[in-house]
Amino acid sequence: MQTGRAARIALYLYGALAIAFLYLPLVSVGFASISKARYLSFPIKRYTTQWYGKALESHTVNDLLWTSLTIAGIVTVVSMVVGFFGALAFARYHWRFRGVFQKLILLPIFFPQAVLGLALLMWFNFVGWIPDWKSAVVAHLVWISPIATLVIAIRAYSFDPALEEAARDLGASTWTILREVTGPLLMPGVVSAGLFAFLLSWGNFPLSLFTTGADSTLPEWLYAKMVSGYSPLVPTVGILSIATSLVLLIIAYGISRLLRSGRDRRQQADG
Amino acid sequence: MQPEPILRIEKLVKRFGQFTALHGVDLDIQEGEFLTIVGPSGSGKSTLIRLLVGIEEPTSGHISLRGKRIETLPANHRPTCMVFQSLALFPHRSVGENIEFPLKIRGDAVGPRRERALALMDLLHLPQDFYDKRINQCSGGERQRVALARALAFDPEILFFDEPLSALDFRLRKNLEKELKDLHARTGKTFVYITHSLEEAMLMSDRIAIMREGGFEQIAVADEIYAKPVSRFVAEFMGEVNLFDVESTGGGGLQGSGLEVQMAPDQLLPELRVPQGGHGALMVRPEAVRFLGPGEAADFALDGVMRAEYALGSRTQYKVEAGDGREIAVEKLREDRFAGRSGDPVRLGWDQGHCHMIVEE
C-alpha cells in the first residue's frame, strides 16, 4: 500500500514537472510582457499593461498580424481542399501511379524547411517572381498541404469502400456520393487538417524568412527584434500571437459545432 | 415451358490480370425465385454478384434483365440492389436516414420518404423509435434489418445478398435466415443470395447453384443437390458423405472399396448402374446407414469396428472403421443412438434406394 502511494506521488510529480517544462517558458513570456523593466528578472518589481496598449496601437504590429492571418487563412483553405482530394488519391482509390504519388507527396515534409525555403526562393528568382506574402503562401503550401493530405488520408484509410459502393448501388451518382457519403465521413479529418494547417502556417518561421520578401510575418518580426531592438513589446506581440491562434481555434471549433448541429437539424427537417 | 427469366447470364467472363475469376458462366434466374449461390472461398461467387449489380464490369459475356442487356450499365443505373457483407450502413446517418437514402437520391418528398421508411421498419420488426437512433447504437441483428429495409426502400427488381449473415452469432443467424425466407414470401421479390453456408442455402432457397473455380458445378433444387450431386465435389460440399469407388462387374454387380454386390440386373436400380468396365462413386449419406442386427439384411452391407462417437445435439455421429481401413460416417437421432462402445464390432447396411451413383469418365 505504501509503495502504491509512493508510486502515485512520483507519477504526480513527474506529471507536474513535465507540465512545468512545457509551460514555464510561455508563462515567463507572459511575465515579460507585463513587466515595466526592459529585461525580465524575478521578482518583477513593477507591473504594467502599457506594452499591450502600444502593441494594439502599432501599425507595424497590425500589419504583421494581418499578413500572418492572410497567409495562414489562405494556406488553411487551400490545404483543406488539396488535402481532401489528395487523400482520396493517396488512400482511397487505386490508380496506376499511386505508389509514386504517395512517395512524392511525402518528400517535402522530410526536407529541412530552411533548405526548402532556400530552394523556393531560388525558384521564385528564376521565374522572376519578386517574393512577397503571396510567394510565402506558395512556400507554406508546399510544406503544409502534404501534411494536410496525410492527416485526411489517415481518416480515409479507415473508410470502408463498401460505403461508396452501397451508395452507388442505391442510385447515387459520383457527385452525390462525394456530397452525401465521402465528404461527411472525411470531414473530421478535413477539420483537423485545417487546424493543423493554420497552426503550422501561423507559427512558421524558416519558410517565411526566405519567401516573404519585403513583407514580414509575426515570427519573422519576433526573431528580428530579438536580434536587435528588443523591448517588452516583443513578448507582448508573442502573447498576442498565441492569443490570436487560440481565439481562432475556438472560433473554428464553434463553427464546426454550429455546422454539425445545423446539418443535424437539416437532416431532421428533411427526414 | 419455362417462363422468360428475369435475369439471364450468358458466357460471363471476368479476369483480373492473369487470373480468371469467372470462366464463362451461364445462368437463368426466374422472377420471384430465391436462388442461393454457394461455394468455397475463391470460387468466384462474390465476383459474380459484383458483376450482376454493376460494381465490376465483365471482361466478356452478357447480362440481360427482362431481355435488356445491362452489363455495361453502371450500378447506379441498374434497378437492382445489394445487401453487402459488411452491410455498408452509413455511420453518419440515423436508422431512418439510412433507410430513406435511396428515396432521397430518387428525389422523393420528405413526407412520403418518412412514411415509407416507417412502413419498412414495421415490416422488418424495427421499433418506430429507432428512426432517430444512430447506427452505432444498433445491435448486429438490428443493423441487419436496417440494411434490408434500406435495400427494400430502393424497390429493386432483384435483391442480391453478399453473405450478409456471416458475421452474426449462431442463434441470431438462424432467426434471421427464417425471417429472410418469410420476407421473400411476403414481398414476392427475386432474391439472389451468396453464402458459403450449406445450411443457409438449404433452409432458404428455391434453387441452389454450386460454384467451383469460377464456374457452376450444379444448379438444382436443394433436395436434388443433396441427394443427387453430379460430382464428388458437390457431394462432399453438401455435407458429410460416404463415397465408395466401385466398378461394374456386369449385370447387377458392383465391386470396390470393400463392397461387393451381385444382384439380378433388373434388381439394381437403373440410376446406380455403371457401364460395363466403367467406374463410379457410390454415395450414401450418413443418416441412411443403419447398424444391422443379427440376421438383419440390407442391399449393401459391410463389417467394421466402432471408433468414435460425436454428439451433435439432436443427432449423434459415429465413425466406423471398415475392413480396408476407410472411415464410414453414420448418423442417428439421439433417441436411436448406438448402444455399444468404442472398439465393438458392428455391421453396417443401407438400401439402394438411399444411394446415388456419381458416374466418372
Side-chain angles (χ1 to χ4, degrees), chain B residues 50-109:
Chain B
R50 289 171 72 82
L51 295 179
L52 296 182
V53 295
I55 293 171
E56 301 269 1
E57 272 191 40
T59 308
S60 64
H62 306 307
I63 304 168
S64 308
L65 185 82
R66 296 193 190 283
K68 283 175 95 175
R69 295 263 296 273
I70 60 163
E71 68 267 9
T72 53
L73 271 185
N76 55 326
H77 289 134
R78 293 192 192 189
T80 56
C81 191
M82 175 155 86
V83 177
F84 286 69
Q85 187 168 18
S86 65
L87 303 181
L89 293 169
F90 306 128
H92 59 298
R93 291 174 179 275
S94 68
V95 166
E97 288 160 4
N98 262 280
I99 297 170
E100 285 178 17
F101 185 80
L103 306 174
K104 188 180 177 187
I105 299 297
R106 200 180 291 167
D108 287 7

Coordinates of all heavy atoms in Angstrom, one line a residue, chain B residues 50-109:
Chain B
R50 N -20.9 -9.1 -57.8 CA -20.5 -7.7 -58.1 C -20.7 -7.3 -59.6 O -20.9 -6.2 -59.9 CB -19.0 -7.5 -57.7 CG -18.8 -7.5 -56.1 CD -17.4 -7.5 -55.7 NE -16.7 -6.3 -56.0 CZ -16.8 -5.2 -55.2 NH1 -17.5 -5.3 -54.0 NH2 -16.1 -4.1 -55.4
L51 N -20.5 -8.3 -60.5 CA -20.8 -8.0 -61.9 C -22.3 -7.8 -62.1 O -22.7 -7.0 -62.9 CB -20.4 -9.2 -62.7 CG -18.9 -9.5 -62.8 CD1 -18.6 -10.7 -63.7 CD2 -18.1 -8.3 -63.3
L52 N -23.1 -8.6 -61.3 CA -24.6 -8.6 -61.5 C -25.1 -7.2 -61.1 O -26.1 -6.7 -61.6 CB -25.2 -9.7 -60.8 CG -24.9 -11.1 -61.4 CD1 -25.6 -12.2 -60.6 CD2 -25.2 -11.2 -62.9
V53 N -24.6 -6.7 -60.0 CA -25.1 -5.4 -59.5 C -24.4 -4.2 -60.2 O -24.9 -3.1 -60.1 CB -25.0 -5.2 -58.0 CG1 -25.8 -6.2 -57.3 CG2 -23.5 -5.3 -57.5
G54 N -23.3 -4.4 -60.9 CA -22.7 -3.4 -61.7 C -21.5 -2.7 -61.0 O -21.1 -1.6 -61.5
I55 N -21.1 -3.3 -59.9 CA -19.9 -2.6 -59.2 C -18.6 -3.0 -60.0 O -17.7 -2.2 -60.0 CB -19.8 -3.2 -57.8 CG1 -21.0 -2.6 -57.0 CG2 -18.5 -2.7 -57.1 CD1 -21.1 -3.2 -55.6
E56 N -18.6 -4.1 -60.7 CA -17.5 -4.5 -61.5 C -18.0 -4.7 -63.0 O -19.2 -5.0 -63.1 CB -16.9 -5.8 -61.1 CG -16.3 -5.9 -59.7 CD -14.9 -5.5 -59.6 OE1 -14.3 -5.2 -60.6 OE2 -14.4 -5.4 -58.4
E57 N -17.1 -4.5 -63.9 CA -17.5 -4.8 -65.3 C -17.0 -6.1 -65.8 O -15.8 -6.4 -65.5 CB -17.0 -3.7 -66.2 CG -17.9 -2.5 -66.3 CD -17.5 -1.5 -67.4 OE1 -17.1 -2.0 -68.5 OE2 -17.6 -0.3 -67.1
P58 N -17.8 -6.9 -66.5 CA -17.3 -8.2 -67.0 C -16.2 -8.0 -68.1 O -16.2 -7.0 -68.8 CB -18.5 -8.8 -67.6 CG -19.5 -7.7 -67.9 CD -19.2 -6.6 -67.0
T59 N -15.4 -8.9 -68.2 CA -14.4 -8.9 -69.3 C -15.1 -9.2 -70.6 O -14.8 -8.6 -71.7 CB -13.3 -10.0 -69.0 OG1 -12.8 -9.7 -67.7 CG2 -12.2 -9.9 -70.1
S60 N -16.0 -10.2 -70.6 CA -16.9 -10.5 -71.7 C -18.1 -11.2 -71.3 O -18.2 -11.6 -70.1 CB -16.1 -11.4 -72.8 OG -15.8 -12.6 -72.2
G61 N -19.1 -11.4 -72.2 CA -20.3 -12.1 -71.8 C -21.4 -11.1 -71.6 O -21.2 -9.8 -71.7
H62 N -22.6 -11.6 -71.4 CA -23.8 -10.7 -71.4 C -24.6 -11.0 -70.1 O -24.7 -12.1 -69.6 CB -24.7 -11.0 -72.6 CG -24.0 -10.9 -73.9 ND1 -23.3 -9.8 -74.2 CD2 -23.9 -11.8 -74.9 CE1 -22.8 -10.0 -75.4 NE2 -23.1 -11.2 -75.9
I63 N -25.2 -9.9 -69.6 CA -26.2 -10.0 -68.5 C -27.5 -9.3 -69.1 O -27.4 -8.1 -69.5 CB -25.7 -9.2 -67.3 CG1 -24.3 -9.8 -66.8 CG2 -26.7 -9.4 -66.1 CD1 -23.6 -8.9 -65.8
S64 N -28.6 -10.0 -69.0 CA -29.8 -9.4 -69.5 C -30.9 -9.4 -68.4 O -31.1 -10.4 -67.7 CB -30.4 -10.1 -70.7 OG -29.4 -10.3 -71.7
L65 N -31.5 -8.2 -68.2 CA -32.6 -8.1 -67.2 C -33.9 -7.9 -68.0 O -34.0 -6.9 -68.7 CB -32.3 -6.9 -66.3 CG -33.3 -6.8 -65.1 CD1 -32.9 -7.7 -64.0 CD2 -33.3 -5.3 -64.6
R66 N -34.8 -8.8 -67.8 CA -36.0 -8.8 -68.6 C -35.7 -8.6 -70.1 O -36.4 -7.8 -70.8 CB -37.0 -7.7 -68.1 CG -37.4 -7.9 -66.7 CD -38.6 -6.9 -66.4 NE -38.9 -6.9 -65.0 CZ -39.6 -7.9 -64.3 NH1 -40.0 -8.9 -65.0 NH2 -39.8 -7.8 -63.0
G67 N -34.7 -9.2 -70.6 CA -34.4 -9.2 -72.0 C -33.6 -8.0 -72.5 O -33.1 -8.0 -73.6
K68 N -33.3 -7.1 -71.6 CA -32.5 -5.9 -71.9 C -31.1 -6.1 -71.4 O -30.9 -6.4 -70.2 CB -33.1 -4.6 -71.4 CG -34.3 -4.1 -72.1 CD -34.9 -3.0 -71.4 CE -34.4 -1.6 -72.0 NZ -35.1 -0.5 -71.4
R69 N -30.1 -5.8 -72.3 CA -28.7 -6.0 -71.9 C -28.3 -4.9 -70.9 O -28.5 -3.7 -71.1 CB -27.8 -5.9 -73.1 CG -28.0 -7.1 -74.1 CD -27.0 -8.2 -73.9 NE -25.7 -7.7 -74.2 CZ -25.2 -7.7 -75.4 NH1 -25.8 -8.2 -76.4 NH2 -23.9 -7.2 -75.6
I70 N -27.7 -5.3 -69.8 CA -27.3 -4.3 -68.7 C -25.8 -4.4 -68.3 O -25.4 -3.7 -67.4 CB -28.2 -4.5 -67.5 CG1 -28.0 -5.9 -66.9 CG2 -29.6 -4.2 -67.7 CD1 -28.5 -6.0 -65.4
E71 N -25.1 -5.3 -69.0 CA -23.7 -5.5 -68.5 C -22.8 -4.2 -68.5 O -21.9 -4.2 -67.7 CB -23.0 -6.6 -69.2 CG -22.7 -6.4 -70.7 CD -23.8 -6.9 -71.6 OE1 -24.8 -7.3 -71.1 OE2 -23.5 -6.9 -72.8
T72 N -23.2 -3.3 -69.3 CA -22.4 -2.0 -69.4 C -23.0 -0.9 -68.5 O -22.4 0.2 -68.4 CB -22.2 -1.5 -70.8 OG1 -23.4 -1.4 -71.4 CG2 -21.3 -2.5 -71.6
L73 N -24.2 -1.2 -68.0 CA -24.8 -0.1 -67.2 C -24.1 0.0 -65.8 O -23.8 -1.0 -65.2 CB -26.3 -0.5 -66.9 CG -27.4 0.0 -67.8 CD1 -28.7 -0.4 -67.2 CD2 -27.3 1.4 -68.1
P74 N -23.8 1.2 -65.4 CA -23.2 1.3 -64.0 C -24.2 1.0 -62.9 O -25.4 1.0 -63.2 CB -22.8 2.8 -63.9 CG -23.6 3.5 -64.9 CD -23.9 2.5 -66.0
A75 N -23.7 0.7 -61.8 CA -24.6 0.2 -60.7 C -25.7 1.2 -60.4 O -26.8 0.8 -60.1 CB -23.7 0.0 -59.4
N76 N -25.4 2.5 -60.5 CA -26.5 3.5 -60.1 C -27.6 3.6 -61.1 O -28.6 4.3 -60.9 CB -25.9 4.8 -59.7 CG -25.0 5.4 -60.8 OD1 -24.4 4.6 -61.5 ND2 -25.0 6.7 -61.0
H77 N -27.4 2.9 -62.3 CA -28.5 3.0 -63.3 C -29.2 1.6 -63.4 O -30.0 1.4 -64.3 CB -27.9 3.4 -64.6 CG -27.5 4.8 -64.7 ND1 -26.3 5.3 -65.2 CD2 -28.1 5.9 -64.2 CE1 -26.2 6.6 -65.0 NE2 -27.3 7.0 -64.4
R78 N -28.8 0.7 -62.5 CA -29.5 -0.6 -62.6 C -30.6 -0.7 -61.6 O -30.4 -0.2 -60.5 CB -28.5 -1.8 -62.3 CG -27.4 -1.9 -63.4 CD -26.6 -3.2 -63.3 NE -25.5 -3.1 -64.1 CZ -24.7 -4.1 -64.4 NH1 -24.9 -5.3 -63.8 NH2 -23.6 -4.0 -65.2
P79 N -31.7 -1.4 -61.9 CA -32.8 -1.5 -61.0 C -32.6 -2.6 -60.0 O -33.6 -3.3 -59.7 CB -34.0 -1.7 -61.9 CG -33.4 -2.5 -63.1 CD -32.0 -2.0 -63.2
T80 N -31.4 -2.9 -59.6 CA -31.1 -4.0 -58.7 C -30.4 -3.4 -57.5 O -29.9 -2.2 -57.5 CB -30.2 -5.0 -59.3 OG1 -29.0 -4.3 -59.7 CG2 -30.8 -5.7 -60.5
C81 N -30.3 -4.1 -56.4 CA -29.7 -3.6 -55.2 C -29.1 -4.8 -54.4 O -29.5 -5.9 -54.6 CB -30.8 -3.0 -54.4 SG -30.3 -2.0 -53.0
M82 N -28.1 -4.4 -53.6 CA -27.4 -5.5 -52.9 C -27.3 -5.2 -51.4 O -27.1 -4.0 -51.0 CB -26.0 -5.6 -53.4 CG -25.1 -6.6 -52.7 SD -23.8 -7.3 -53.7 CE -22.5 -6.1 -53.5
V83 N -27.4 -6.2 -50.6 CA -27.1 -6.1 -49.1 C -25.7 -6.6 -49.0 O -25.4 -7.8 -49.3 CB -28.1 -6.9 -48.3 CG1 -27.7 -6.8 -46.8 CG2 -29.5 -6.4 -48.5
F84 N -24.8 -5.7 -48.6 CA -23.3 -6.0 -48.5 C -23.0 -6.9 -47.3 O -23.7 -6.9 -46.3 CB -22.5 -4.8 -48.5 CG -22.5 -4.0 -49.8 CD1 -23.6 -3.4 -50.3 CD2 -21.3 -3.9 -50.5 CE1 -23.6 -2.7 -51.5 CE2 -21.2 -3.3 -51.7 CZ -22.4 -2.6 -52.2
Q85 N -21.9 -7.6 -47.5 CA -21.4 -8.4 -46.4 C -21.2 -7.6 -45.1 O -21.5 -8.0 -44.0 CB -20.1 -9.1 -46.8 CG -19.6 -10.1 -45.8 CD -18.5 -11.0 -46.3 OE1 -17.8 -10.7 -47.3 NE2 -18.2 -12.1 -45.7
S86 N -20.6 -6.4 -45.3 CA -20.3 -5.5 -44.1 C -21.6 -4.7 -43.8 O -21.5 -3.9 -42.9 CB -19.2 -4.6 -44.5 OG -19.5 -3.7 -45.5
L87 N -22.6 -4.9 -44.6 CA -23.9 -4.1 -44.5 C -23.8 -2.7 -45.1 O -24.7 -2.2 -45.6 CB -24.5 -4.1 -43.1 CG -24.7 -5.5 -42.5 CD1 -25.3 -5.3 -41.1 CD2 -25.6 -6.3 -43.3
A88 N -22.6 -2.1 -45.0 CA -22.3 -0.8 -45.5 C -23.3 0.2 -45.1 O -23.8 1.0 -46.0 CB -22.2 -0.9 -47.1
L89 N -23.7 0.3 -43.9 CA -24.6 1.3 -43.4 C -23.9 2.6 -43.2 O -22.7 2.5 -42.7 CB -25.3 0.8 -42.1 CG -26.3 -0.4 -42.3 CD1 -26.7 -0.9 -40.9 CD2 -27.5 0.0 -43.1
F90 N -24.5 3.7 -43.5 CA -23.7 5.0 -43.4 C -23.7 5.4 -41.9 O -24.7 5.7 -41.3 CB -24.4 6.1 -44.2 CG -24.6 5.7 -45.6 CD1 -25.9 5.7 -46.2 CD2 -23.6 5.2 -46.4 CE1 -26.1 5.3 -47.5 CE2 -23.7 4.8 -47.7 CZ -25.0 4.9 -48.3
P91 N -22.5 5.4 -41.3 CA -22.4 5.6 -39.9 C -22.8 7.1 -39.4 O -23.1 7.3 -38.3 CB -20.9 5.4 -39.6 CG -20.2 5.5 -40.9 CD -21.2 5.2 -41.9
H92 N -22.7 8.0 -40.4 CA -23.0 9.4 -40.1 C -24.5 9.7 -40.2 O -25.0 10.8 -40.1 CB -22.2 10.3 -41.0 CG -22.5 10.2 -42.4 ND1 -22.2 9.0 -43.1 CD2 -23.0 11.0 -43.4 CE1 -22.5 9.1 -44.4 NE2 -23.0 10.3 -44.6
R93 N -25.3 8.7 -40.5 CA -26.8 8.9 -40.7 C -27.5 8.0 -39.7 O -27.0 6.9 -39.3 CB -27.2 8.5 -42.1 CG -26.7 9.5 -43.1 CD -27.0 9.0 -44.5 NE -26.5 10.0 -45.5 CZ -27.2 11.1 -45.8 NH1 -28.4 11.3 -45.4 NH2 -26.6 12.0 -46.7
S94 N -28.7 8.4 -39.3 CA -29.5 7.7 -38.4 C -30.2 6.5 -39.1 O -30.0 6.3 -40.3 CB -30.6 8.6 -37.8 OG -31.5 8.9 -38.8
V95 N -30.8 5.6 -38.3 CA -31.5 4.5 -38.9 C -32.5 4.9 -40.0 O -32.5 4.4 -41.2 CB -32.3 3.7 -37.8 CG1 -33.3 2.7 -38.4 CG2 -31.3 3.0 -36.9
G96 N -33.3 5.9 -39.7 CA -34.3 6.4 -40.6 C -33.6 7.0 -41.9 O -34.1 6.7 -43.0
E97 N -32.6 7.8 -41.7 CA -31.9 8.4 -42.8 C -31.2 7.3 -43.7 O -31.2 7.5 -44.9 CB -30.8 9.4 -42.3 CG -31.4 10.6 -41.8 CD -30.5 11.4 -40.8 OE1 -29.3 10.9 -40.7 OE2 -30.9 12.4 -40.3
N98 N -30.7 6.3 -43.1 CA -30.2 5.2 -43.9 C -31.2 4.6 -44.8 O -31.0 4.3 -46.0 CB -29.6 4.1 -43.0 CG -28.1 4.3 -42.8 OD1 -27.3 3.9 -43.7 ND2 -27.6 4.9 -41.7
I99 N -32.4 4.3 -44.2 CA -33.4 3.6 -44.9 C -34.0 4.5 -46.1 O -34.2 4.1 -47.2 CB -34.6 3.2 -44.0 CG1 -34.1 2.2 -43.0 CG2 -35.8 2.6 -44.8 CD1 -35.0 1.8 -41.8
E100 N -34.0 5.8 -45.8 CA -34.5 6.8 -46.7 C -33.6 7.1 -47.8 O -33.9 7.8 -48.8 CB -34.9 8.1 -46.0 CG -36.2 7.9 -45.3 CD -36.5 9.3 -44.6 OE1 -36.0 10.3 -44.9 OE2 -37.3 9.2 -43.6
F101 N -32.3 6.7 -47.7 CA -31.3 7.2 -48.6 C -31.6 7.0 -50.1 O -31.6 8.0 -50.9 CB -29.9 6.5 -48.3 CG -28.8 7.0 -49.1 CD1 -28.1 8.2 -48.8 CD2 -28.3 6.3 -50.2 CE1 -27.1 8.7 -49.5 CE2 -27.3 6.8 -51.0 CZ -26.7 8.0 -50.6
P102 N -32.0 5.8 -50.5 CA -32.4 5.7 -51.9 C -33.5 6.5 -52.4 O -33.6 7.0 -53.5 CB -32.7 4.2 -52.1 CG -32.9 3.7 -50.7 CD -32.2 4.5 -49.8
L103 N -34.5 6.8 -51.4 CA -35.6 7.6 -51.8 C -35.2 9.1 -51.9 O -35.7 9.8 -52.8 CB -36.7 7.5 -50.7 CG -37.1 6.0 -50.4 CD1 -38.1 6.0 -49.2 CD2 -37.8 5.4 -51.6
K104 N -34.3 9.5 -51.1 CA -33.7 10.8 -51.2 C -33.0 11.0 -52.5 O -33.2 12.1 -53.2 CB -32.8 11.1 -50.0 CG -32.3 12.5 -49.9 CD -31.4 12.7 -48.7 CE -30.9 14.1 -48.6 NZ -29.9 14.3 -47.6
I105 N -32.2 10.0 -52.9 CA -31.5 10.1 -54.1 C -32.4 10.2 -55.3 O -32.2 10.9 -56.3 CB -30.6 8.8 -54.3 CG1 -29.6 8.7 -53.2 CG2 -29.9 8.8 -55.7 CD1 -28.6 9.8 -53.1
R106 N -33.6 9.5 -55.2 CA -34.6 9.5 -56.2 C -35.3 10.8 -56.3 O -36.1 11.1 -57.2 CB -35.5 8.3 -56.0 CG -36.3 7.8 -57.1 CD -37.1 6.7 -56.7 NE -36.4 5.5 -56.4 CZ -36.8 4.4 -55.8 NH1 -38.1 4.4 -55.4 NH2 -36.1 3.4 -55.6
G107 N -35.2 11.6 -55.2 CA -35.9 12.9 -55.2 C -37.3 12.8 -54.6 O -38.1 13.7 -54.9
D108 N -37.6 11.8 -53.8 CA -38.9 11.7 -53.2 C -39.1 12.8 -52.2 O -38.1 13.3 -51.6 CB -39.1 10.4 -52.5 CG -39.3 9.2 -53.5 OD1 -39.2 9.5 -54.7 OD2 -39.6 8.1 -53.1
A109 N -40.3 13.2 -52.0 CA -40.6 14.3 -51.0 C -40.4 13.8 -49.6 O -40.4 12.5 -49.4 CB -42.0 14.8 -51.2

